[in-house]
């Protein structure tokens, strides 16, 4: 007879798990003591970083990453990061510690009311009825995370790990699941007919399309249609090569400007996203009357909430490939959108702005670079100046909560050491996930963190001004020194105040990013941008 712990570790091995991210507490010690050498244990200093690191790995690989959280405090601290993982479609298997079940009825110290603590953001939550059900729950949680594309939680009382697991015990989970990805020709006919009969079709690519086969199929479809391709607003990933001449840019996030952008088109087909995410609220329709909307998506939730005339709920690469073959090629001239030009270098006495930093980066990063973004006030300029040229070229937090970029970039680079990773982060955002720098330094993760430090929440300032307030009630935080904070966590850092310093350091560092094994944080002092539109 083996133990529940050893049976669970065997289950993780069969599932291909190689890494466990954690910030453990006492209820997890019985699982972690004498941890096997073939599983890599990665420590993070805050549960938001634990889940952020795992989210980065899951985004990079498409397979579930495994995180371990410590009862109520750990799960509570991680809820925002779990919400981000869910909206980012990142599959996670999350083990949550609990007090020993033999005295749970007495609610001893560290007992957690855990089942509903993360709300609706987990795709599945399980508290196994018996200790012997834990290995099966872990296996099922893995499958649930893949199917639901989000975090699946398994709550394990501390005493369960040492219970016996008879060899004859039935494990209530399959060893493997094959998910069929095919579809019939008739399945794509409604949308194919819409595109065939359209006079001025347009495509909108979403985060769900960020996969090599879907990119290729969408390029083929766009070139047959000779139509522009927009990116969904607030997309967490790029669903189409943004250096393609038919790429039109990122759609506006308010309804009046959205209608204006799509006004000339009689058919809008959104691929890999719901139709059509917006912020903030503005009354009125999403598109002009008479414009038909179709959605091609593999996420039931996004399909069911789309105000569309037609939805295909199917495997994206298969559906897009069939559409590209089925839709007749047009002979009209294809639109061509020119590449964005960055601002001129600042003149003597002119402040350094985000655009100067982004343009300098854009001139040096390779097409294979993964750019992780969390700089809300500079995001439109980043989209304009740093196009994603390969799948996984752009990653952001779909949820909108802060604290994503530093841990996610670290997890991405750990999972994909073959890809350079640059995180472009506002200082206000970086403060929320600063603990991740310790993990990046401790485990030799060669991410370049570029902090755009303007000493304030610039988006909040702009939004307040939009309401007529000339003086928001919150102060700036220009006294916070990001480079000092980074060095205190063991992460090398440089403070840059001038354009010449910036270009010299970037010129030295960026070409070597693919081989870099230590993180580096650049604390770049920038003036707030005078205008911002979400």
């Amino acid at each position: 007879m083996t133990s529940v712990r050893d049976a669970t570790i065997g289950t993780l091995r069969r599932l291909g798990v190689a890494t466990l991210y954690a910030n453990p507490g006492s209820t997890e010690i019985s699982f972690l003591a004498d941890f096997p050498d073939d599983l890599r244990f990665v420590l993070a200093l805050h549960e938001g970083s634990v889940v952020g690191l795992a989210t980065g790995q899951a985004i990079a690989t498409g397979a579930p990453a495994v995180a371990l959280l410590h009862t109520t405090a750990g799960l509570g601290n991680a809820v925002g990061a779990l919400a981000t993982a869910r909206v980012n479609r990142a599959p996670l298997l999350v083990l949550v510690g609990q007090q020993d079940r033999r005295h749970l009825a007495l609610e001893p110290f560290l007992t957690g009311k855990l089942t509903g603590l993360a709300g609706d953001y987990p795709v599945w939550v399980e508290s196994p009825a018996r200790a012997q059900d834990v290995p099966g729950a872990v296996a099922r949680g893995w499958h649930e995370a893949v199917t639901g594309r989000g975090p699946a939680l398994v709550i394990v009382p501390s005493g369960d790990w040492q219970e016996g697991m008879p060899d004859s015990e039935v494990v209530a989970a399959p060893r493997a699941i094959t998910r069929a990805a095919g579809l019939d020709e008739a399945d794509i006919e409604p949308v194919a007919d819409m595109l065939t009969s359209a006079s001025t079709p347009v495509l909108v690519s979403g985060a769900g399309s960020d996969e090599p086969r879907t990119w290729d199929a969408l390029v083929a479809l766009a070139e047959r249609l000779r139509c522009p391709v927009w990116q969904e607003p607030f997309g967490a990933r790029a669903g189409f090569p943004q250096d393609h001449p038919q790429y039109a840019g990122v759609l506006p996030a308010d309804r009046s400007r959205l209608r204006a952008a799509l006004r000339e088109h009689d058919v809008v087909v959104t691929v890999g996203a719901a139709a059509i995410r917006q912020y903030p609220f503005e009354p009125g329709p999403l598109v002009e009357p008479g414009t038909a909307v179709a959605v091609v998506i593999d996420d039931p939730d996004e399909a069911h909430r789309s105000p569309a005339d037609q939805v295909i709920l199917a495997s994206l690469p298969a559906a897009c490939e069939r559409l590209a073959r089925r839709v007749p090629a047009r002979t009209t001239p294809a639109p061509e959108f020119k590449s964005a030009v960055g601002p001129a270098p600042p003149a003597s006495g002119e402040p350094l702005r985000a655009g100067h930093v982004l343009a300098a980066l854009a001139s040096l990063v390779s097409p294979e670079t993964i750019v992780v973004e969390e700089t809300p006030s500079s995001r439109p300029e980043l989209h304009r100046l740093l196009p994603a040229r390969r799948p996984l070229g752009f990653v952001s937090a779909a949820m909108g909560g802060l604290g994503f970029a530093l841990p996610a970039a670290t997890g991405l680079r750990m999972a994909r050491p073959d890809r350079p990773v640059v995180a472009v982060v506002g200082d206000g955002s970086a403060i929320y996930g600063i603990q991740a720098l310790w993990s990046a330094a401790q485990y030799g993760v060669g991410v370049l963190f570029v902090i755009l430090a303007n000493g304030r929440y610039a988006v909040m300032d702009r939004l307040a001004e939009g309401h007529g307030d000339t003086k928001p009630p919150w102060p700036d935080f220009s006294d916070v020194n990001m480079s000092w904070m980074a060095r205190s966590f063991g992460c090398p850092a440089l403070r840059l105040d001038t354009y010449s310093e910036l270009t010299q350091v970037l010129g030295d560092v960026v070409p070597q990013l693919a081989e870099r094994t230590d993180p580096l944080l650049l604390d770049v002092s920038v003036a707030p941008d005078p205008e911002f539109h979400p």
Side-chain angles (χ1 to χ4, degrees):
M1 180 184 295
T2 188
S3 67
V4 167
R5 172 190 181 270
D6 289 343
T8 301
I9 288 173
T11 297
L12 293 175
R13 288 190 179 112
R14 286 194 298 275
L15 293 169
V17 173
T19 303
L20 174 73
Y21 301 96
N23 182 264
S26 58
T27 52
E28 295 77 58
I29 292 299
S30 55
F31 174 68
L32 294 173
D34 195 26
F35 199 64
D37 293 336
D38 62 314
L39 295 179
R40 187 183 191 190
F41 180 92
V42 174
L43 176 66
L45 301 186
H46 185 271
E47 290 85 354
S49 294
V50 171
V51 173
L53 285 158
T55 299
Q57 177 189 313
I59 289 172
T61 64
V66 182
L68 179 67
L69 301 176
H70 173 53
T71 191
T72 308
L75 180 56
N77 283 342
V79 167
L82 290 169
T84 295
R86 174 68 182 273
V87 183
N88 272 72
R89 300 176 166 199
L92 303 180
L93 171 60
V94 183
L95 307 181
V96 184
Q98 173 65 295
Q99 253 286 8
D100 194 303
R101 72 169 69 237
R102 290 170 292 188
H103 65 159
L104 274 178
L106 302 176
E107 292 201 12
F109 183 64
L110 288 178
T111 299
K113 297 182 184 296
L114 302 172
T115 302
L117 184 56
D120 292 333
Y121 289 111
V123 298
W124 184 73
V125 180
E126 175 73 346
S127 294
R130 305 176 304 149
Q132 291 73 23
D133 295 328
V134 169
V138 167
R140 181 175 171 182
W142 174 277
H143 299 313
E144 295 279 1
V146 173
T147 302
R149 288 177 300 181
L153 274 57
V154 180
I155 300 165
V156 186
S158 58
D160 286 11
W161 297 116
Q162 302 308 320
E163 290 287 321
M165 184 76 180
D167 295 337
S168 60
E169 187 72 39
V170 173
V171 175
R175 294 179 68 91
I177 295 178
T178 298
R179 294 170 177 83
L183 71 166
D184 294 332
E185 194 73 29
D187 296 331
I188 58 101
E189 285 301 311
V191 174
D193 290 343
M194 290 173 69
L195 287 171
T196 300
S197 60
S199 299
T200 53
V202 62
L203 299 178
V204 178
S205 66
S209 303
D210 187 26
E211 182 270 336
R213 201 175 137 199
T214 309
W215 269 42
D216 291 344
L218 274 179
V219 168
L221 179 60
E223 291 178 351
R224 287 180 73 81
L225 292 170
R226 296 180 175 265
C227 71
V229 181
W230 289 90
Q231 175 75 34
E232 64 162 325
F234 292 100
R237 296 166 69 171
F240 187 84
Q242 296 177 344
D243 58 345
H244 192 284
Q246 289 172 233
Y247 176 67
V250 178
L251 280 172
D254 59 89
R255 297 187 187 189
S256 57
R257 289 191 296 146
L258 175 65
R259 289 194 299 272
L262 301 177
R263 181 170 291 136
E264 297 179 0
H265 303 286
D266 58 349
V267 172
V268 179
V269 177
T270 296
V271 181
I276 295 171
R277 199 178 193 193
Q278 292 283 278
Y279 167 85
F281 174 74
E282 184 181 297
L286 295 174
V287 295
E288 294 286 356
T291 298
V293 177
V295 172
V296 182
I297 192 73
D298 58 358
D299 185 306
D301 184 57
E302 295 190 10
H304 297 159
R305 71 170 182 265
S306 291
D309 299 282
Q310 182 67 51
V311 174
I312 296 177
L313 182 58
S315 161
L316 285 177
C320 291
E321 286 166 354
R322 284 188 175 272
L323 282 172
R325 291 194 296 267
R326 166 67 172 75
V327 172
R330 296 172 182 251
T331 58
T332 53
E336 290 193 23
F337 299 93
K338 295 181 179 180
S339 300
V341 177
S348 178
E350 183 184 355
L352 194 61
R353 296 193 184 276
H356 299 129
V357 181
L358 297 170
L361 267 175
S363 68
L364 294 168
V365 295
S366 68
E368 291 75 25
T369 301
I370 301 171
V371 175
V372 183
E373 176 272 331
E374 194 172 19
T375 174
S377 63
S378 307
R379 188 177 192 183
E381 194 137 34
L382 184 145
H383 278 310
R384 194 172 67 85
L385 297 175
L386 269 174
R389 293 171 282 174
R390 300 286 188 275
L392 201 61
F394 171 81
V395 177
S396 185
M399 187 64 191
L402 302 183
F404 170 81
L406 300 190
T410 303
L412 277 159
R413 175 70 173 178
M414 292 177 79
R416 292 297 304 269
D418 58 313
R419 298 279 298 267
V421 177
V422 176
V424 182
V425 192
D427 51 352
S429 302
I431 291 168
Y432 278 76
I434 196 72
Q435 301 93 342
L437 295 178
W438 182 89
S439 299
Q442 177 72 21
Y443 296 100
V445 184
V447 177
L448 176 63
F449 300 101
V450 179
I451 308 299
L452 302 178
N454 58 28
R456 67 199 68 221
Y457 294 120
V459 168
M460 295 298 297
D461 292 348
R462 298 292 89 81
L463 290 173
E465 291 166 6
H467 282 267
D469 297 330
T470 57
K471 186 180 179 181
W474 49 84
D476 65 34
F477 47 89
S478 54
D479 52 339
V480 174
N481 190 306
M482 296 301 303
S483 52
W484 287 0
M485 293 177 71
R487 286 192 288 269
S488 75
F489 284 106
C491 176
L494 297 171
R495 173 75 175 186
L496 305 177
D497 296 302
T498 68
Y499 186 74
S500 60
E501 291 174 328
L502 172 72
T503 54
Q504 180 177 342
V505 170
L506 291 179
D508 292 340
V509 172
V510 173
Q512 309 302 321
L513 277 181
E515 294 78 36
R516 191 173 184 92
T517 56
D518 292 311
L520 176 64
L521 183 140
L522 303 182
D523 180 11
V524 187
S525 177
V526 297
D529 290 320
E531 295 183 4
F532 166 72
H533 294 287

